[in-house]
Amino acid sequence: MVLEPIPRRRLSSEVAKDVESGVRFRYRSIRTPRARAILQVQHQISRACRRFLDSKGFMEVLAPIIGPVTDPGIRGAGTVVVPFYGKMYVLMTSMILYKQMAMASYPRVYSFSPNVRLEPSASKSTGRHLAEFYQLDLEMANTSCDEVMALGDRLLYEAINSVHKECKTQLEQLGRTLHLPPRHLPRITFTEALKILADEGFDLDPKAEIPWIAEHHLSLFFNTPFWITDYPYTSRGFFYLVDDDRPGVVRSMDLLLPEGYGEISSGGEREYTVEGVTRRMRETGDDPQKYGWYIDMLEEGIPPSAGFGIGMERLTRYICGIPHIWECSPFPKVPGIP
Ligand code: ASP
Ligand code: MG
């Protein structure tokens, strides 16, 4: 049985305009036809991604929620600490370290992984930050950035194409005209991205990540999703592999959505040796002592690998054409809104 909106009180369009009340009164907005359409599209996206990855020989693994360590490379967002039998654990900011462990068991793995990142309150109004979100995280042994980007091209195509085919009514209801992406997405380097942005008047630090406002601007130049490759090592976490031929560059990429939607995915090839990781940790200021099981695992040896994580709510937001991402989470947690 499908519930209809609670009569009167608040119209969904009013709720959508106002993030705070939308989040607070989610038990109302979730009953609206608009919310239902978004959630149905989201379900279709997950189905298509699962189907595609399964057909490529991937195994789905259940993602961790807490652990003694998590991804530190989260662009300044805070981590939630929870007591765990006399130790302090953290909520996953990304399962990167755990994906590497799972991939040592089976060469192609993916998870729909819950992440919590305490982004600054100001990111409430970016339209694309949630404090709790899901990533479709995948990892492949013995592969390269090029190959995972090619896989990402196909994955995105399959997800968008399946919504295009199966969710016509929902897209119509949301007023979204969806274009299929090309089979091979354009790729630009980090340096090229900075050059485009410099021409637009952005004076950016060539050693840091591209700030979200500049990413937003860059994404207005494109009418298809596109990759940015070759990030400076100073802008990325210790788990990304430094390019042998180009010191200072890591084999790491982001996938950006067009129309101003901005970043949807980060990924790359991994450091996988103790020497490589501890060298990178010295550069990033992380303490190897803190990463107990991870360093022990590397000492025993894991295969080289590459992978990425795609923000599921961000993908839903783009596919549905939604102004603020809170509507793309059934139970939204927005930075700055307790
Ligand atoms: N999941 C990682 C992140 O959240 C990306 C990756 O797989 O490299 O940034
Ligand atoms: Mg990222």
Side-chain angles (χ1 to χ4, degrees):
M1 190 196 80
V2 176
L3 288 177
E4 288 309 318
I6 297 176
R8 239 341 299 151
R9 309 252 197 143
R10 243 165 196 278
L11 294 175
S12 64
S13 56
E14 285 172 59
V15 172
K17 271 187 226 137
D18 179 348
V19 182
E20 299 212 12
S21 56
V23 170
R24 172 148 179 246
F25 297 107
R26 188 51 164 158
Y27 54 88
R28 290 183 192 150
S29 64
I30 203 168
R31 294 171 173 237
T32 60
R34 178 177 165 90
R36 191 178 310 128
I38 297 171
L39 294 181
Q40 284 173 321
V41 169
Q42 192 159 65
H43 179 212
Q44 186 60 37
I45 296 171
S46 305
R47 272 215 301 237
C49 292
R50 272 205 172 90
R51 196 173 47 217
F52 173 71
L53 292 174
D54 293 350
S55 80
K56 293 286 164 204
F58 279 79
M59 176 175 84
E60 182 171 0
V61 295
L62 301 176
I65 298 169
I66 60 175
V69 284
T70 188
D71 179 356
I74 51 168
R75 302 177 81 162
T79 306
V80 177
V81 181
V82 287
F84 187 76
Y85 298 103
K87 289 220 165 8
M88 295 317 272
Y89 270 28
V90 282
L91 297 185
M92 286 300 126
T93 52
S94 103
M95 66 177 290
I96 172 65
L97 312 176
Y98 301 80
K99 288 204 281 197
Q100 287 180 280
M101 185 189 336
M103 181 274 317
S105 167
Y106 196 79
R108 293 180 168 211
V109 292
Y110 72 93
S111 290
F112 289 90
S113 164
N115 293 171
V116 175
R117 296 182 188 179
L118 301 177
E119 302 286 353
S121 298
S123 48
K124 167 168 78 180
S125 48
T126 62
R128 67 179 172 106
H129 286 95
L130 285 169
E132 178 191 67
F133 60 96
Y134 277 81
Q135 285 198 69
L136 171 52
D137 248 312
L138 61 84
E139 196 69 16
M140 286 164 81
N142 302 308
T143 190
S144 63
C145 268
D146 275 351
E147 279 184 48
V148 281
M149 282 192 277
L151 183 91
D153 289 355
R154 281 290 306 279
L155 179 67
L156 200 70
Y157 181 87
E158 294 298 327
I160 296 177
N161 189 31
S162 86
V163 171
H164 197 68
K165 286 215 296 253
E166 307 292 336
C167 299
K168 286 197 179 356
T169 336
Q170 288 82 358
L171 290 176
E172 208 170 293
Q173 197 179 333
L174 297 165
R176 179 64 163 162
T177 311
L178 194 56
H179 300 288
L180 290 183
R183 300 280 179 149
H184 302 287
L185 299 178
R187 299 176 185 182
I188 60 169
T189 64
F190 178 83
T191 312
E192 285 163 349
L194 252 49
K195 168 96 185 47
I196 298 174
L197 287 164
D199 292 345
E200 289 297 301
F202 285 91
D203 179 20
L204 298 175
D205 179 354
K207 292 193 158 144
E209 284 263 17
I210 304 173
W212 75 265
I213 188 80
E215 262 178 11
H216 168 87
H217 197 82
L218 185 66
S219 103
L220 294 170
F221 280 82
F222 287 78
N223 57 10
T224 80
F226 63 101
W227 298 98
I228 302 180
T229 64
D230 301 341
Y231 276 80
Y233 78 103
T234 40
S235 71
R236 301 300 248 204
F238 62 73
F239 43 84
Y240 289 113
L241 188 73
V242 173
D243 195 316
D244 278 343
D245 305 328
R246 292 170 303 164
V249 170
V250 273
R251 297 215 192 121
S252 172
M253 69 284 176
D254 271 8
L255 178 60
L256 270 74
L257 295 170
E259 302 171 39
Y261 285 93
E263 189 230 345
I264 194 193
S265 173
S266 302
E269 284 173 50
R270 315 300 180 187
E271 289 286 359
Y272 64 101
T273 62
V274 187
E275 301 71 44
V277 166
T278 46
R279 183 172 8 95
R280 290 283 288 122
M281 281 181 167
R282 278 196 292 280
E283 290 159 1
T284 56
D286 291 291
D287 176 5
Q289 296 287 336
K290 239 185 74 187
Y291 287 86
W293 72 261
Y294 183 66
I295 300 288
D296 293 347
M297 172 180 80
L298 299 181
E299 254 157 23
E300 288 184 15
I302 57 166
S305 66
F308 57 75
I310 291 192
M312 288 303 288
E313 294 86 350
R314 287 185 176 180
L315 182 55
T316 309
R317 175 179 175 235
Y318 168 64
I319 290 182
C320 293
I322 306 296
H324 195 291
I325 196 165
W326 78 264
E327 287 191 280
C328 302
S329 168
F331 316 109
K333 315 290 186 314
V334 175
I337 305 183

